[in-house]
Amino acid sequence: MAGRDRSCLQIELTVAQDVLCDALVLSTWTAQSPGPVLDPLERTSEILFGVIMVLTFTSSISVAESGQAETREVLIAALGCNVAWGIVDAAFYLMAIFIERARGRMMLRAIREGRDQTVAHGLILAALPSPVSAVLVESEVETLRQRLRQQPEPTNAMFDRRDIAGAIGVFLLVFLSTLPIVIPFLFVPQAGVAMRASNAVAILMLFGIGWSLGTHAGRPGWRAGVVMVGLGLVLVAVTIALGG
């Protein structure tokens, strides 16, 4: 039983070390193995944003009154809006990385160079998720502190290739999510049929976004898909009502 307890504690300590590496340094340690440039939540969030934005434009098209010229103007405006917001989202993505990485370096420096062990322990526990910090005893936290003191100094580069790739990915997700919804208007001459086809594509995209998030969170994909469809339609209605 004692051996099993020690094994459990070792597993908890290992998990805590891994989480702390992610929380404090944010991939600035060269020893950290590279993962996906954008995690599933980031990818689906950007696609959802693009879908909602373009739906606010296509929903404003009057099937009975809009001609080809007016429809084309609306679609061009939708594409332009998503291009603009894709650029804005990419810029905010880089800004968030810069701020979070700078904060991680500051915390790491305070832990490594601080003489007050209690303060260092408090910083470590604050950086960890509460379920992990709640099970750690003082000796385990001290082990983490010693491990952090042995780590190489993080680089001072503002951004690396993965950051730039992530920003480009954010832009492309926002922009490309526009295309499936506007394509029916480009190839179907009847405005009513094009509108129904566009809405069907949008609903399928919302369902797929929800399914992806649900499976990522360990929940039934179909249920999350249905919820996302309802949430997306509500968000579109609210955006239109507020003049967005």
Side-chain angles (χ1 to χ4, degrees):
M1 181 65 69
R4 182 180 178 181
D5 291 341
R6 284 194 297 270
S7 298
C8 292
L9 289 175
Q10 184 62 39
I11 292 173
E12 291 173 356
L13 187 57
T14 302
V15 171
Q17 290 169 350
D18 292 340
V19 173
L20 189 61
C21 287
D22 292 336
L24 287 179
V25 192
L26 303 170
S27 76
T28 56
W29 291 341
T30 56
Q32 186 176 358
S33 60
V37 175
L38 296 174
D39 62 40
L41 181 58
E42 290 174 324
R43 294 194 296 268
T44 52
S45 297
E46 297 300 337
I47 296 173
L48 176 62
F49 180 79
V51 169
I52 290 175
M53 289 299 297
V54 71
L55 280 177
T56 60
F57 284 88
T58 59
S59 298
S60 67
I61 298 176
S62 174
V63 175
E65 301 176 2
S66 294
Q68 289 293 332
E70 183 178 348
T71 300
R72 189 180 303 109
E73 290 178 1
V74 172
L75 297 181
I76 292 174
L79 291 171
C81 182
N82 272 27
V83 167
W85 278 110
I87 294 173
V88 171
D89 267 9
F92 273 99
Y93 173 83
L94 291 175
M95 184 178 69
I97 286 179
F98 174 78
I99 297 299
E100 199 169 1
R101 186 168 292 164
R103 182 174 177 271
R105 292 195 189 100
M106 178 188 68
M107 294 180 64
L108 180 62
R109 189 175 299 112
I111 292 171
R112 295 174 61 174
E113 300 176 0
R115 297 183 178 181
D116 191 332
Q117 179 175 307
T118 303
V119 173
H121 286 188
L123 289 172
I124 292 173
L125 293 174
L128 291 169
S130 55
V132 176
S133 61
V135 300
L136 295 178
V137 297
E138 184 176 355
S139 61
E140 293 169 334
V141 180
E142 176 60 20
T143 300
L144 290 175
R145 187 176 77 92
Q146 295 301 327
R147 290 287 299 275
L148 289 172
R149 291 169 64 93
Q150 297 170 7
Q151 293 292 333
E153 187 69 23
T155 61
N156 291 320
M158 184 178 297
F159 302 114
D160 56 27
R161 293 181 180 178
R162 287 174 56 82
D163 301 329
I164 302 302
I168 294 174
V170 167
F171 169 78
L172 290 177
L173 287 172
V174 175
F175 173 67
L176 294 178
S177 61
T178 307
L179 301 182
I181 299 175
V182 302
I183 283 177
F185 291 98
L186 301 178
F187 294 97
V188 180
Q190 296 83 6
V193 177
M195 176 68 77
R196 288 191 290 271
S198 176
N199 290 339
V201 170
I203 290 174
L204 288 176
M205 291 181 67
L206 290 172
F207 184 82
I209 292 170
W211 185 288
S212 177
L213 285 177
T215 54
H216 178 65
R219 301 292 183 179
W222 68 268
R223 186 179 302 171
V226 172
V227 171
M228 184 58 69
V229 170
L231 176 62
L233 296 179
V234 169
L235 290 176
V236 170
V238 170
T239 303
I240 294 175
L242 295 176

